[in-house]
Amino acid sequence: MHRFANPARFLRLAALILPWVSVLSAILFAAGLYLALFVSPEDYQQGDTVRIMYVHVPAAWMAMFTYSSMAVAAACALVWRHPLAEVYSKAAAPLGAGFTLLCLVTGSLWGEPMWGTWWVWDARLTSVLILFFLYLGYMALVDAFDDPQRGHRAGAILLLVGAINVPIIKFSVDWWNTLHQPASVLRMDGPAIHGDMLWPLLILALAFKTYFAATVILRMRAELAERKIQTLRLTQAGGV
Amino acid sequence: MMTRKKRRLYMLLLALAGLGTATALTLTAFEENVAFFFSPSDLATKPPGDKRVRVGGLVEGGSVVKVDDGVSTRFTITDTAHSVTITTDRPLPDLFREGQGVLVEGRMGSDGVFVASEVLAKHDEKYMPKEVADALKASGQFKPELPGKPVYEAGK
Amino acid sequence: MADFFHMGGYAIYVWSSYGLALLVLVGLLLASLGTLRRKERLLRSLEQTLPRRRRRAGAGDAGGEEKP
């Protein structure tokens, strides 16, 4: 576990990965957007609005993935005191909040023409809104303490408590009657989505994921630099 | 060192299990409120009286008629076991058509006709190009999916 | 081409979605890059003002190579 805990080792690894994921992300976005906007067919019911899916669904997946990974990091921070786990959660939170916001707004822009409403309080939409507030709450909480260590501890606990929301989001459409339809891709009997629409979706999902990897590395590097700055300031104040 | 980490891990797992159980119990207890809409069967099993409710079902083929006043529409929604007649003076969403899942919000009238003040369309999770859908329809493999399931068990 | 921008009459919904995605993703990337540059510049200037030998308590100090 602690083999990867060393920040210097992480920074070397990150420097190695960063150019690759950045280039990969750019390629995937170009290919995905081309397929989504120019090649993929209209839906038999929803016409061109189905193209909103290629943004909405990857954003939703990333919103859930980012939160889940932050919750796992929170557990590593609380149980094993893994020094990079807190750095990761703090770096990932604004990205997760961005994905969730994107998911909510594109969902609204899709719901108005197709469902006939911008918003309803069904179990799926409400639980995703709660996810957005969990991100905001975490970011506020981590910065709310004078002692950053206590802030991180409180944030990690919030992340773990809020993790219960992730399966609720995922299965809300199966457990209860919702306006939102059940899952199209990640379901037991295979995707219920035609291949010509599935490919752009999967490619853009990968594009989002590589974008996240690249950006979270940048943010973690910034956070590690910030920690060094704090330590240097302390030694400066105490020693000089 | 190892034991302290283990203890922290067990405490964490225990706390999460407790939290999960509490959430599951709460959500089960409030199932009726978490459900966004009821099926026509629910309406038959447990009449809502004068309460505002949402009902979801498939628009029955051939049931959509424009009422004489020029604004209102009347149609029937069904979950194959029961059906309800709906009347509304609201605009219908783009996806509204026969065989489509819809949700209506409103009150049951004393004459057994549901007066809806809002009509929303609900689509299923299947996405495909028009040609594929037409081919499925031609071969009779195209089945519209019911938009929801009964919340109340019949006879309860 | 006009058809493409028209999006079957749903242009406003489709293009707003893609526009917002661009805004959020590029915005977060630029903000992250900006913060990183600022922090690294500050860190370099701090390291230069400090005497070399004091620089060992840094949180991510590369001196922490562990031995097998």
Side-chain angles (χ1 to χ4, degrees):
Chain A
M1 196 89 210
H2 280 281
R3 274 181 64 79
F4 302 100
N6 186 329
R9 197 184 287 263
F10 163 77
L11 287 172
R12 274 204 304 276
L13 194 66
L16 209 66
I17 296 174
L18 187 60
W20 292 97
V21 284
S22 308
V23 171
L24 198 60
S25 184
I27 295 173
L28 287 167
F29 265 116
L33 285 174
Y34 173 71
L35 288 177
L37 289 171
F38 294 94
V39 181
S40 76
E42 292 171 20
D43 181 64
Y44 75 111
Q45 277 202 313
Q46 308 197 35
D48 275 311
T49 57
V50 77
R51 299 187 205 283
I52 298 175
M53 172 179 69
Y54 306 124
V55 184
H56 174 74
V57 173
W61 284 346
M62 286 313 294
M64 306 243 293
F65 167 81
T66 306
Y67 191 92
S68 311
S69 68
M70 284 164 64
V72 170
C76 291
L78 285 178
V79 175
W80 292 283
R81 304 274 187 261
H82 193 296
L84 273 176
E86 294 171 343
V87 177
Y88 171 79
S89 293
K90 193 176 175 195
L95 301 176
F99 292 134
T100 316
L101 183 71
L102 192 55
C103 167
L104 286 168
V105 179
T106 54
S108 210
L109 286 165
W110 195 2
E112 167 61 17
M114 287 299 104
W115 294 346
T117 181
W118 298 101
W119 180 264
V120 291
W121 293 100
D122 84 348
R124 170 56 75 81
L125 277 67
T126 308
S127 54
V128 174
L129 186 66
I130 291 174
L131 180 71
F132 183 59
F133 290 140
L134 280 169
Y135 277 119
L136 297 188
Y138 169 78
M139 291 192 283
L141 195 59
V142 169
D143 284 332
F145 291 83
D146 290 332
D147 176 7
Q149 212 164 12
R150 286 183 57 204
H152 279 294
R153 184 75 53 85
I157 291 170
L158 175 71
L159 284 177
L160 284 171
V161 171
I164 198 80
N165 191 35
V166 175
I168 293 180
I169 293 176
K170 168 73 186 148
F171 296 110
S172 53
V173 286
D174 304 320
W175 289 341
W176 302 293
N177 285 344
T178 50
L179 180 56
H180 194 288
Q181 72 283 0
S184 296
V185 180
L186 301 168
R187 46 183 249 150
M188 297 300 271
D189 43 354
I193 178 168
H194 191 265
D196 292 349
M197 301 170 171
L198 186 59
W199 276 111
L201 179 60
L202 293 180
I203 290 172
L204 275 173
L206 266 180
F208 270 64
K209 188 147 280 181
T210 42
Y211 162 89
F212 171 76
T215 316
V216 87
I217 284 176
L218 296 178
R219 300 188 66 86
M220 285 177 78
R221 273 169 52 183
E223 176 62 17
L224 286 171
E226 168 66 22
R227 290 185 168 208
K228 270 195 202 172
I229 291 168
Q230 296 298 337
T231 326
L232 282 180
R233 282 208 170 122
L234 277 179
T235 35
Q236 208 170 20
V240 184
Chain B
M1 199 55 195
M2 210 45 215
T3 52
R4 205 153 85 212
K5 272 180 196 163
K6 269 223 174 95
R7 201 169 59 230
R8 285 204 297 257
L9 181 62
Y10 288 140
M11 263 172 57
L12 189 76
L13 290 177
L14 205 68
L16 285 182
L19 182 75
T21 318
T23 316
L25 286 174
T26 319
L27 288 175
T28 316
F30 287 108
E31 171 142 39
E32 194 183 311
N33 298 314
V34 181
F36 187 65
F37 62 92
F38 300 105
S39 68
S41 292
D42 288 323
L43 241 56
T45 339
K46 210 174 165 180
D50 205 27
K51 248 180 23 195
R52 256 185 99 77
V53 284
R54 291 195 198 88
V55 195
L58 291 174
V59 179
E60 242 167 354
S63 76
V64 184
V65 279
K66 276 272 167 212
V67 184
D68 291 337
D69 65 2
V71 253
S72 302
T73 321
R74 180 189 283 262
F75 54 94
T76 314
I77 61 171
T78 178
D79 62 356
T80 66
H82 290 88
S83 37
V84 204
T85 307
I86 315 283
T87 172
T88 185
D89 55 359
R90 307 294 304 169
L92 302 170
D94 290 4
L95 269 187
F96 184 95
R97 57 194 78 157
E98 288 173 5
Q100 178 71 40
V102 291
L103 298 187
V104 295
E105 185 180 342
R107 283 195 181 84
M108 201 70 184
S110 49
D111 54 352
V113 174
F114 191 93
V115 184
S117 57
E118 190 173 25
V119 180
L120 304 177
K122 178 173 161 71
H123 56 82
D124 63 17
E125 68 276 26
K126 299 188 191 73
Y127 298 92
M128 60 188 109
K130 196 170 177 308
E131 308 83 71
V132 178
D134 289 343
L136 281 179
K137 277 174 190 157
S139 66
Q141 285 175 59
F142 191 86
K143 281 191 215 75
E145 215 147 282
L146 284 176
K149 50 190 185 301
V151 177
Y152 305 114
E153 280 170 52
K156 218 167 152 184
Chain C
M1 205 60 195
D3 258 10
F4 172 69
F5 286 111
H6 190 245
M7 281 289 164
Y10 296 114
I12 178 101
Y13 303 106
V14 176
W15 293 119
S16 320
S17 296
Y18 280 82
L20 184 81
L22 188 77
L23 207 70
V24 168
L25 296 185
V26 172
L28 278 168
L29 180 65
L30 290 183
S32 308
L33 268 175
T35 318
L36 177 62
R37 293 235 171 87
R38 217 172 47 243
K39 300 259 146 117
E40 282 185 336
R41 206 176 315 127
L42 183 60
L43 182 62
R44 267 199 304 276
S45 70
L46 271 177
E47 279 175 343
Q48 275 159 13
T49 55
L50 269 186
R52 284 251 142 212
R53 59 196 158 77
R54 288 207 180 273
R55 284 187 46 222
R56 43 170 288 268
D61 201 83
E65 288 295 299
E66 70 255 70
K67 287 157 190 95

